[in-house]
Amino acid sequence: MTREMTGGMTGDTRADAYRPRRDRLWFTRSRGYTVFVLRELTSVFVAWSIVFLLMLVDAVLGGSLPEFAALAARPWMIALNVVALAATVFHAVTFLNLAPKATVVRLDGRRVPAWMIQGGNHTAWALVSLLIAYVVLRS
Amino acid sequence: MTDSAETPVIRMEVARYRPGEDAEPVFQAYDVPLMDDWAVLDGLTHIKDRLDGSLSFRWSCRMGVCGSCGMTVNGEARLTCGTFLTEYAPGPVRIEPLKGFPVIRDLVVDIDDFLAKLSSVRPWLVREGEEPPLTAEYAQTPEQLEAYKQYSMCINCLLCYSACPVYVLDPDFLGPAAIALAQRYNLDSRDMDDRFDVLNLEDAVWGCTFVGECTKVCPKHVDPAEAIQRYKVSAALRSVLPWSRR
Amino acid sequence: MTDMIDVLIVGGGGAGLRAAVAVAETDPALKVAVVSKVYPMRSHTVSAEGGAAAVIGLGDTLDEHCYDTISGGDWLCDQDAVEAFVAEAPRELIQLEHWGCPWSRERDGRVAVRPFGGMKKMRTWYAADKTGFHLLHTLFQTTLKYQDIIRYDEWYVTKLVVDDGRVHGVVAVEIRTGRVETIPARTVVLATGGCGRAFPFTTNAAIKTGDGMALAYREGAPLKDMEFVQYHPTGLPFTGILITEAARAEGGWLINKDGYRYLQDYDLGTPTPEPTLRSMELGPRDRLSQAFVHEQRRGRTADTPYGPVVYLDLRHLGEEKIEHRIPFVRELCRSYQNLDPVSDLIPVRPVVHYMMGGVHTDLDGATTVAGLYAAGETACVSINGANRLGSNSLPEILVFGRRAGIAAAEFARSHREAEPAAVHSQGEDERRRLARAREGGGNGGRIADLREEMQHTLEGAAGIYRSGDVLAKAADTLAGLRERAEEARVEDGSTTFNTELINLLELHAMLEVAQTIVACALNRRESRGAHQRTDHTDRDDAAYLAHSLVHRAPDGTPSVGLLPVTITRWAPGERVYGRD
């Protein structure tokens, strides 16, 4: 179906329409936007955590564990990692909470409520964390 | 409705844009009676009928189903027929056109872009083979109906586009309602298409960064954000598992 | 001037879109256009709630649907039209299903049906309580498949171009730019809906201003049965928002201020806890609205700032049933009336809902002007007679929208001559008239004041009960209003999206239609269906088993005559509800 495009005679007001300028501070305009942008920023800390983990692996394989431990024990590094932990947890929790949006599960024709999917995710997360903790800490 | 002396008033600051006269929108203030059962839209029709006949805005059913009267009320995308004025007492309350669209005049925005996008997702039942005779319906169980029903409730009011920062920054983004309506047909047991060619694109589902505002402002609980994320999963699966195509 | 259109449809609601698809499907070579003053999905079809009637089996027969419709219409329906309508309604609803309409379903996957007012069998298909919404969006989205259908969105048709008894196109203004354009067309299908906005309390959307009726009437096509105005018994008092009949079909009760189911006092049957078909709350709309007036006179209605009300009681249905079967009722009550029907009574009053009358057409939607067709509420075929049954209007727009589309396509194929010179000159005249209306602007009253005066005049004279002397006075008032409306003040001189100018043109259309309503009501000195005269209280088949046919005289005044009703198999009888 085509919309009749205006043309000819009197010209077109399409050119007269007001188009607002791009708003560079859009993320400050509502709380929802700000929270969204903050959450996006937590990805940086997730990335840092991965880099830190790779450094650890490299240190173990390369035999430079004491140097790495010294670096990790510096106050600013501890501070950075505390912030990174908080940000990563926030990212993980919100990620798991959003999962029901992407996966709609139906049992018996009824939609499984969001809290059950979220609860399942968090439980699975906790179990995996416990398992890792057990493997790492048993020695 | 009479404005007797004791009726309180509320100030409505209404964005005016008259092409040829205004270079950009300006606010004009009107005092209207603050009645308990008046919606923001009733305030606007009061202005048009009693105070200033030159104010332009769209409205029709005033029962939240035609989708005409979406505007920005105190910064938030709302259906003005379903928003009580008293919510903003004692005022003032600011009425602006929906954000993210070119403004034609006052509170009227250009929505042709959406209509073109809607057409592009094939929002109709796609069938293969011959059309059966008009003597019997296709069977569809209540559960199969439930699977897409929510996405069929979209009234095209475009509050979701207005609230979506992705759309406001990149007008090529296919946007929440069009994708939700594509999903309305994808998930319909009678439909035989998956609209992969129009949805699995950078400017379609992958443009969505999941801000989630579309779902928050939707007056009909369509949850377009969910529709989009679900399609991302379907599209990803289809890309890695070629046989998962329906 | 644009290229010649074969079928130009005015109005993008259910009837108009159905006509457009019918043309596109029957002959893809024809050029079809839809001109609508709003985007099609904003059309008022979107507000229909309860359902669409069509015989689907289950011990139901076509004859029973015919009989319910004809008796519901107090024997003023043309029975050949009713038979065609009833026969074609099922295939139309199935067609909508094949296009994707989300009809509510039975467990086994068949389409579900519910009871409805005045219907003896369960035959009302529904999509929860947003049937019109789903129907319109399904239709609109389906039309998008037909890339060749030309759409003029937000164009307002101000005049039909008619020369020598034949239509040649329309003059329309593009609301966005103010540009006035003559669109030549071989045929025109009017599908602009009704005229509820001529009344103060109405379920109708702001756009329902009788445009199509006025367009046809001004060019010499007569209107038919205009005195029959349907009051829906359950509207919300301030907004006029409709609470669907489905609420009563699912078991809701109408009670007065004392909690008494008062319909039992008005020959509508005896109360039962469960709904009984064609009885009590499931009686026809005219009788229920009339019962309200009697309750009011007996002092048994409750008072509100917006006038007297009775109550719709849904509390005994329980939250689950309300949420499942009539969720929109709950949504509307919560958002617009600040109450919850699960725990509260809903205040309701009769509100203007539907025009049984309209442009006089035959079974194919053809009017007396060659090439001009009408369908839906704009038209009067007539299948609704003196009172329309709930859930007949949605199938009506489909059945007769399609018929009009096919007939117009046929006419366009067989009439290929070039347009006459009159098209250009009439277009130029109209352009000048519109420019004057906008730029000149009168110094008379405000549009809103004139509109309100018209609305209250109509409600006072042509409401649920009418009388000769009040109607005569109203006719004078309306004539005066018409003159004053010519001088109405227009404050907006802009060409861009000038809604005030459109409001003025709509007011002119409504006044034109209002005059025909009063003239027809004055002429019919009997009581039948929705037309109740306090000075002529009985039905008079000897004199008035006939349609009112109203022409516009050269001086602009309405002139009313009668046209016999077509009776095929159902001789006029008594309308019986609630007793066998």
Side-chain angles (χ1 to χ4, degrees):
Chain A
M1 193 126 111
T2 46
R3 188 187 192 274
E4 181 67 4
M5 284 300 153
T6 49
M9 326 219 278
T10 54
D12 197 353
T13 57
R14 246 149 277 259
D16 296 351
Y18 172 72
R19 286 159 214 275
R21 271 186 305 269
R22 196 161 285 189
D23 181 2
R24 288 180 198 289
L25 293 175
W26 64 272
F27 51 86
T28 62
R29 305 294 179 216
S30 91
R31 205 183 107 83
Y33 291 172
T34 312
V35 170
F36 165 77
V37 168
L38 286 177
R39 181 173 186 278
E40 294 292 286
L41 285 177
T42 58
S43 308
V44 175
F45 292 100
V46 174
W48 161 249
S49 302
I50 292 167
V51 169
F52 188 73
L53 199 63
L54 290 174
M55 284 163 64
L56 170 66
V57 171
D58 182 58
V60 170
L61 297 178
S64 54
L65 200 52
E67 290 89 335
F68 178 80
L71 176 70
R74 292 199 189 161
W76 65 267
M77 192 57 123
I78 292 175
L80 174 64
N81 278 330
V82 168
V83 174
L85 179 67
T88 312
V89 167
F90 175 75
H91 192 96
V93 169
T94 49
F95 178 82
L96 293 180
N97 284 345
L98 290 173
K101 293 275 180 205
T103 45
V104 171
V105 184
R106 283 171 200 281
L107 285 177
D108 258 357
R110 295 216 172 218
R111 187 170 167 171
V112 176
W115 64 267
M116 282 177 76
I117 297 179
Q118 290 160 344
N121 284 337
H122 286 290
T123 311
W125 183 33
L127 286 176
V128 171
S129 302
L130 282 174
L131 184 69
I132 294 173
Y134 170 74
V135 171
V136 172
L137 299 176
R138 81 194 143 137
S139 52
Chain B
M1 236 51 43
T2 50
D3 347 25
S4 58
E6 61 266 36
T7 308
V9 296
I10 183 166
R11 173 151 296 191
M12 296 180 81
E13 297 173 352
V14 184
R16 301 297 309 267
Y17 171 68
R18 289 147 294 203
E21 259 179 75
D22 304 311
E24 58 178 23
V26 293
F27 284 97
Q28 192 165 347
Y30 303 93
D31 289 331
V32 307
L34 179 61
M35 312 290 281
D36 276 349
D37 39 17
W38 273 24
V40 170
L41 179 62
D42 294 311
L44 292 173
T45 52
H46 177 86
I47 294 170
K48 174 127 192 122
D49 286 351
R50 304 280 154 221
L51 307 176
D52 185 349
S54 74
L55 180 66
S56 281
F57 52 95
R58 293 190 181 106
W59 70 286
S60 183
C61 78
R62 54 89 183 82
M63 56 190 280
V65 70
C66 80
S68 307
C69 69
M71 297 173 206
T72 306
V73 184
N74 271 8
E76 234 184 310
R78 301 291 288 262
L79 276 188
T80 51
C81 73
T83 304
F84 285 110
L85 259 183
T86 48
E87 199 181 307
Y88 304 96
V93 54
R94 239 172 203 226
I95 319 295
E96 296 166 85
L98 281 182
K99 286 179 196 152
F101 299 93
V103 181
I104 296 173
R105 160 98 189 256
D106 296 345
L107 301 168
V108 180
V109 296
D110 182 349
I111 63 165
D112 283 349
D113 175 55
F114 165 73
L115 278 127
K117 283 175 174 157
L118 177 63
S119 288
S120 77
V121 302
R122 297 192 292 279
W124 53 79
L125 209 61
V126 175
R127 303 279 303 182
E128 284 154 24
E130 250 177 65
E131 161 112 350
L134 296 175
T135 46
E137 68 270 37
Y138 300 130
Q140 181 165 72
T141 64
E143 290 74 27
Q144 290 172 321
L145 171 65
E146 209 50 46
Y148 69 90
K149 182 93 203 241
Q150 170 190 336
Y151 305 132
S152 76
M153 304 304 273
C154 171
I155 61 172
N156 303 177
C157 66
L158 306 185
L159 300 194
C160 56
Y161 281 76
S162 191
C164 172
V166 178
Y167 179 69
V168 174
L169 294 170
D170 171 19
D172 290 333
F173 175 47
L174 184 56
I179 299 176
L181 283 163
Q183 281 282 58
R184 171 252 176 275
Y185 286 98
N186 283 340
L187 297 168
D188 189 323
S189 57
R190 300 166 292 182
D191 188 84
M192 296 176 173
D193 193 358
D194 63 3
R195 295 163 182 80
F196 189 72
D197 56 326
V198 287
L199 294 179
N200 183 45
L201 299 172
E202 202 52 50
D203 276 332
V205 296
W206 301 110
C208 169
T209 55
F210 204 176
V211 184
E213 287 294 305
C214 52
T215 290
K216 268 191 224 157
V217 298
C218 176
K220 299 290 138 182
H221 312 294
V222 171
D223 202 348
E226 176 192 277
I228 299 172
Q229 309 325 310
R230 286 177 73 180
Y231 199 85
K232 286 181 185 168
V233 174
S234 313
L237 282 176
R238 185 180 138 157
S239 301
V240 291
L241 311 170
W243 61 86
S244 75
R245 180 174 187 177
R246 321 202 272 174
Chain C
M1 197 90 66
T2 50
D3 284 351
M4 175 83 85
I5 305 285
D6 287 300
V7 180
L8 184 146
I9 296 157
V10 187
L17 295 180
R18 184 66 190 87
V21 177
V23 178
E25 278 190 334
T26 43
D27 190 346
L30 292 178
K31 256 182 108 169
V32 52
V34 177
V35 185
S36 171
K37 66 177 174 179
V38 292
Y39 284 89
M41 70 281 188
R42 313 293 192 215
S43 307
H44 187 59
T45 304
V46 84
S47 299
E49 298 176 22
V55 173
I56 187 182
L58 304 171
D60 194 5
T61 64
L62 297 181
D63 277 5
E64 284 175 283
H65 190 185
C66 285
Y67 179 78
D68 285 344
T69 301
I70 291 162
S71 58
D74 219 348
W75 276 271
L76 198 68
C77 316
D78 283 326
Q79 297 183 2
D80 53 344
V82 173
E83 290 188 71
F85 161 69
V86 165
E88 289 172 28
R91 73 177 288 283
E92 279 303 310
L93 298 194
I94 291 171
Q95 176 67 78
L96 254 290
E97 198 280 333
H98 287 190
W99 284 335
C101 188
W103 298 111
S104 293
R105 302 285 177 153
E106 301 289 353
R107 293 235 67 83
D108 64 0
R110 283 176 304 127
V111 164
V113 286
R114 64 163 41 130
F116 230 68
M119 300 280 190
K120 186 71 184 167
K121 290 281 163 65
M122 302 228 290
R123 61 171 76 98
T124 297
W125 304 36
Y126 59 99
D129 53 356
K130 284 196 176 171
T131 312
F133 163 78
H134 286 300
L135 195 146
L136 181 68
H137 279 255
T138 301
L139 257 177
F140 176 61
Q141 288 163 10
T142 299
T143 60
L144 297 176
K145 189 161 61 171
Y146 299 93
Q147 299 280 333
D148 293 335
I149 297 175
I150 302 163
R151 249 180 30 231
Y152 291 81
D153 292 339
E154 298 194 320
W155 285 63
Y156 183 78
V157 173
T158 65
K159 181 184 166 49
L160 299 177
V161 180
V162 173
D163 184 50
D164 201 16
R166 176 165 162 210
V167 73
H168 292 285
V170 303
V171 182
V173 48
E174 185 185 35
I175 299 174
R176 180 177 186 150
T177 59
R179 190 156 63 99
V180 179
E181 184 94 354
T182 305
I183 311 174
R186 295 198 164 85
T187 62
V188 173
V189 179
L190 297 171
T192 61
C195 194
R197 279 278 154 180
F199 288 79
F201 284 103
T202 175
T203 60
N204 283 193
I207 52 176
K208 297 273 305 271
T209 51
D211 306 326
M213 295 174 183
L215 288 172
Y217 178 65
R218 285 180 191 136
E219 301 306 327
L223 306 184
K224 188 164 75 188
D225 293 340
M226 294 304 290
E227 66 273 41
F228 297 101
V229 176
Q230 178 162 80
Y231 275 76
H232 193 291
T234 58
L236 294 180
F238 165 52
T239 53
I241 288 173
L242 171 71
I243 300 300
T244 171
E245 198 160 301
R248 282 169 280 134
E250 297 297 342
W253 297 330
L254 276 174
I255 58 177
N256 64 18
K257 72 171 180 187
D258 307 318
Y260 174 69
R261 289 175 73 185
Y262 60 90
L263 293 177
Q264 60 190 291
D265 295 353
Y266 302 99
D267 192 23
L268 281 157
T270 47
T272 50
E274 296 296 313
T276 305
L277 292 158
R278 271 180 79 110
S279 172
M280 288 295 290
E281 283 84 0
L282 289 183
R285 290 171 177 174
D286 56 341
R287 297 278 300 275
L288 264 58
S289 295
Q290 290 151 19
F292 171 88
V293 177
H294 292 289
E295 279 299 285
Q296 185 192 344
R297 289 192 185 140
R298 289 181 176 185
R300 303 202 298 193
T301 52
D303 285 318
T304 73
Y306 304 105
V309 297
V310 289
Y311 296 103
L312 181 62
D313 187 356
L314 306 181
R315 296 172 302 181
H316 55 284
L317 301 182
E319 181 163 3
E320 197 183 322
K321 186 161 192 183
I322 290 174
E323 205 43 66
H324 185 60
R325 305 300 276 275
I326 43 176
F328 195 36
V329 167
R330 192 175 191 197
E331 183 188 328
L332 289 170
C333 286
R334 284 173 152 180
S335 309
Y336 297 88
Q337 197 78 27
N338 244 332
L339 59 82
D340 186 349
V342 171
S343 52
D344 305 313
L345 295 173
I346 311 171
V348 290
R349 55 161 284 169
V351 286
V352 167
H353 186 54
Y354 186 86
M355 311 291 293
M356 268 70 76
V359 183
H360 169 51
T361 73
D362 68 7
L363 265 59
D364 287 320
T367 69
T368 55
V369 174
L372 180 64
Y373 298 78
E377 194 179 347
T378 317
C380 180
V381 182
S382 103
I383 65 154
N384 298 312
N387 172 60
R388 177 176 70 81
L389 290 190
S391 75
N392 266 353
S393 69
L394 289 179
E396 179 186 2
I397 60 179
L398 299 172
V399 168
F400 292 102
R402 173 175 166 274
R403 278 175 163 257
I406 291 174
E410 185 52 46
F411 186 97
R413 263 195 303 269
S414 52
H415 292 77
R416 310 299 296 175
E417 30 327 87
E419 70 200 53
V423 176
H424 183 71
S425 62
Q426 287 188 26
E428 285 309 307
D429 288 351
E430 183 67 358
R431 190 194 309 276
R432 277 191 291 275
R433 183 180 80 89
L434 292 173
R436 265 201 311 278
R438 191 186 65 238
E439 288 157 13
N443 298 315
R446 283 190 163 277
I447 293 171
D449 289 334
L450 296 164
R451 191 170 55 214
E452 276 180 23
E453 203 175 329
M454 166 194 67
Q455 290 169 335
H456 288 107
T457 304
L458 265 190
E459 168 122 314
I464 297 174
Y465 284 94
R466 295 109 182 244
S467 72
D469 47 343
V470 181
L471 283 165
K473 247 181 255 154
D476 292 341
T477 310
L478 290 173
L481 274 171
R482 255 189 68 172
E483 278 172 28
R484 287 161 58 201
E486 293 300 323
E487 291 302 313
R489 191 187 330 163
V490 178
E491 295 170 349
D492 192 347
S494 168
T495 50
T496 307
F497 225 94
N498 188 333
T499 50
E500 198 184 23
L501 177 65
I502 302 296
N503 288 165
L504 177 65
L505 299 172
E506 290 171 336
L507 175 66
H508 288 161
M510 284 191 284
L511 279 167
E512 198 93 67
V513 175
Q515 285 191 298
T516 68
I517 293 172
V518 168
C520 290
L522 196 53
N523 187 63
R524 185 177 288 276
R525 287 181 284 278
E526 66 154 354
S527 289
R528 181 187 297 271
H531 172 71
Q532 295 291 315
R533 287 275 297 253
T534 53
D535 47 352
H536 299 277
T537 54
D538 291 329
R539 195 173 90 187
D540 180 358
D541 283 347
Y544 292 106
L545 186 60
H547 300 294
S548 302
L549 207 60
V550 54
H551 284 87
R552 192 176 194 267
D555 66 351
T557 57
S559 127
V560 185
L562 294 175
L563 181 79
V565 169
T566 306
I567 306 276
T568 57
R569 292 192 281 143
W570 293 272
E574 192 197 353
R575 291 174 83 199
V576 177
Y577 293 99
R579 53 190 160 92
D580 289 319

